[in-house]
Structures are given as structure tokens and as C-alpha cells.
Amino acid sequence: MLKALVAPAFVLALIVAPGVALAQSAQCHMPAQIARPQLEGPTDKEPRRVLPIGSYTLAISWSPQYCSTARARSSLQCGGRTGKFGFTLHGLWPDGYGKEWPQYCRPADLVPREVIRQNLCNTPSPQLIQHEWSKHGTCMTTKPELYFNLSRAFYQSLRYPDMGALARRKTLTVGQFAEAFARANKGLTADMMRVTTTRGNWLSEVWLCMDRALEFTRCPAHQGGAPDSAYLRIEPGPNIPNPRRPARTPTPQREPGLFLNLDPNAQPPANGTR
């Protein structure tokens, strides 16, 4: 049987009020032509895995670090013509009850052009948008626009510490960065996130842990991440001011389409990697 839940009220308010933009990019200029992505699906190494959802992860990437080593320096994300990016949305991932997670739960068509256009300033890669829907979104809902509306609402609700000041610190640790990130977001604590790094201890991503009710929660020990005591380096990026939150947001009307499908035809886990 399919189970359902509703996202927290403030997230639903953002979903039904797309004009409330809590900007993440220093600037974003939508290109006139957007390339169509390639279809993606399960493979031998990345098999279909339909499991009950026990929690969620909201993953955001530090774009300056990605672009400092990316092969495609002229891409939408790194070329500079589309915009300058700080943290970008990697994706909203359903997790299981242990170390396995559901993926590629249903066959996925190409994400509609308009949905890609609506999300390109948050995830500046049409192929990554397609990948996130195919691998993760199909395990949460049946329509890509609902999946991206939800992940975008969480992403745009985040606030950030002064990344320029943190990048200039010579003795910054992962724990200190997590504390600074938590202080910028009411209700968030450092143990509700995992910080991942690349070779050389450069900041790569922040993974924010959520429970089944889509509330931020303490991360499970098995999720990994760099230890709090590890030294952290941050590739300098654009200054992204945190805009003021609107004084009031509209009260959302409960819509059946905002319910998420959980536990779709649970089956035994199989090995795979995220």
C-alpha cells in the first residue's frame, strides 16, 4: 500500500508561491536555448531499487569548487555567461531505513522543457536535472514538477554564513563551518548536516538530513562525511547576500498533488552506490 505525507507548511507556502525567491546565485541569466538532456535509467552498477523511505537528504554543492576542477569550464554552471553561483542544488534524495536507498523506482521520460527552465538557476545543468528526476524523484512522486517544486522550496529556504570570510580563515575546521552554517538557519544544528570534501580538504557539498516528515533531523552515523576535527578549505566564490524573508507568506491550500508517494511496492534491497 502506498503511504503519504505532506511537507511542512512553510515549504508548501513556497511551493504554491513560486514568486517568493530566496536567491542562491549571485546572478543568473537564463540562456535563450537550453540543450535537451539524455534519458537515464538503471544499469547493472546502478540497479532499480524500490524500498520504503525512512528519511531524506537535501544535498547542495559548492559551485566554485566544482568549477575549479571541472572539465567543462564553458558549461552553463562554470562558463560565467549564465551566472555566478555559490551553493547550487544537487538534489533531494529519499533514503531507506539503513544504508540502502531507493532509486530508479519508475521509468522516467524526459523532464519537460518548462520544468528544466524553472529549475536551471538552482541546478544549472539540464542533465543533472534529468538525473535527479530519474534516480531520486521517481521514488517520491509521479510528476517531475512536484518533485522539483518541493526540492526547490527547501533549497530556496536556506540561508548561508559569510562564505567569503570563512574562505579566508586559515584554520577553519569542518565542525566550525557546520556551526556557522547552522547559526544562519533557525532550527538547524550542526549535527543535522554532513560536510563532504574533495582531495586536499576542499569543501564539496553539504548534506542536510531530514526525517520522514521532511523536518531537519540529526544525521545517522552511517551517512559519513568529513570529521568535525578535519581541516577545511573553501574555494573563494561570489558574494551572495541573504535576502530578507517576506513578512508573510500566503496560506497554502492543501492540494492532493503535493502528497508524496512512499513505500512503492517495496522489494528486497540490492547493492548499489549513490
Side-chain angles (χ1 to χ4, degrees), residues 41-112:
T43 64
D44 290 342
K45 292 184 178 180
E46 292 277 347
R48 179 175 183 263
R49 192 163 59 227
V50 184
L51 301 172
I53 296 176
S55 58
Y56 298 88
T57 297
L58 181 70
I60 58 174
S61 302
W62 183 236
S63 186
Q65 175 57 35
Y66 169 78
C67 291
S68 70
T69 59
R71 294 180 179 179
R73 297 291 182 90
S74 60
S75 65
L76 290 176
Q77 184 171 351
C78 304
R81 294 187 301 275
T82 306
K84 296 179 180 179
F85 300 92
F87 278 106
T88 57
L89 173 62
H90 186 160
L92 178 62
W93 304 334
D95 296 310
Y97 282 94
K99 294 183 179 181
E100 299 287 350
W101 56 86
Q103 61 184 21
Y104 298 110
C105 294
R106 301 181 180 93
D109 293 329
L110 284 177
V111 176

Side-chain angles (χ1 to χ4, degrees), residues 20-26 122 155-156 158-160 240-243:
V20 180
L22 308 179
Q24 313 303 323
S25 59
N122 308 303
Y155 165 71
Q156 292 184 340
L158 293 174
R159 293 294 186 273
Y160 301 103
I240 303 176
N242 288 320

Side-chain angles (χ1 to χ4, degrees), residues 72-248:
R73 297 291 182 90
S74 60
S75 65
L76 290 176
Q77 184 171 351
C78 304
R81 294 187 301 275
T82 306
K84 296 179 180 179
F85 300 92
F87 278 106
T88 57
L89 173 62
H90 186 160
L92 178 62
W93 304 334
D95 296 310
Y97 282 94
K99 294 183 179 181
E100 299 287 350
W101 56 86
Q103 61 184 21
Y104 298 110
C105 294
R106 301 181 180 93
D109 293 329
L110 284 177
V111 176
R113 294 178 186 272
E114 184 57 29
V115 175
I116 291 178
R117 182 171 291 276
Q118 289 170 352
N119 291 279
L120 203 56
C121 283
N122 308 303
T123 304
S125 165
Q127 193 60 51
L128 180 56
I129 290 173
Q130 180 68 41
H131 173 80
E132 293 303 298
W133 164 242
S134 300
K135 185 174 182 178
H136 304 295
T138 58
C139 297
M140 292 172 56
T141 186
T142 56
K143 295 181 179 181
E145 57 267 31
L146 298 179
Y147 170 69
F148 289 110
N149 285 352
L150 183 66
S151 56
R152 185 176 68 245
F154 276 114
Y155 165 71
Q156 292 184 340
S157 73
L158 293 174
R159 293 294 186 273
Y160 301 103
D162 186 335
M163 295 298 292
L166 291 173
R168 291 190 293 271
R169 288 180 56 173
K170 302 298 184 182
T171 58
L172 182 68
T173 66
V174 168
Q176 290 169 339
F177 170 79
E179 290 288 350
F181 196 104
R183 284 194 299 270
N185 292 274
K186 185 177 180 180
L188 193 67
T189 58
D191 62 356
M192 295 177 177
M193 70 188 78
R194 290 288 184 262
V195 178
T196 70
T197 57
T198 65
R199 181 180 298 179
N201 300 325
W202 292 97
L203 172 65
S204 176
E205 295 198 329
V206 177
W207 294 0
L208 298 153
C209 301
M210 298 177 173
D211 61 20
R212 291 186 71 235
L214 292 165
E215 299 283 356
F216 291 119
T217 190
R218 185 176 182 178
C219 293
H222 68 256
Q223 196 171 55
D228 288 346
S229 59
Y231 175 56
L232 183 68
R233 305 163 73 185
I234 300 176
E235 182 73 23
N239 180 39
I240 303 176
N242 288 320
R244 297 178 61 182
R245 291 185 184 275
R248 300 182 64 183

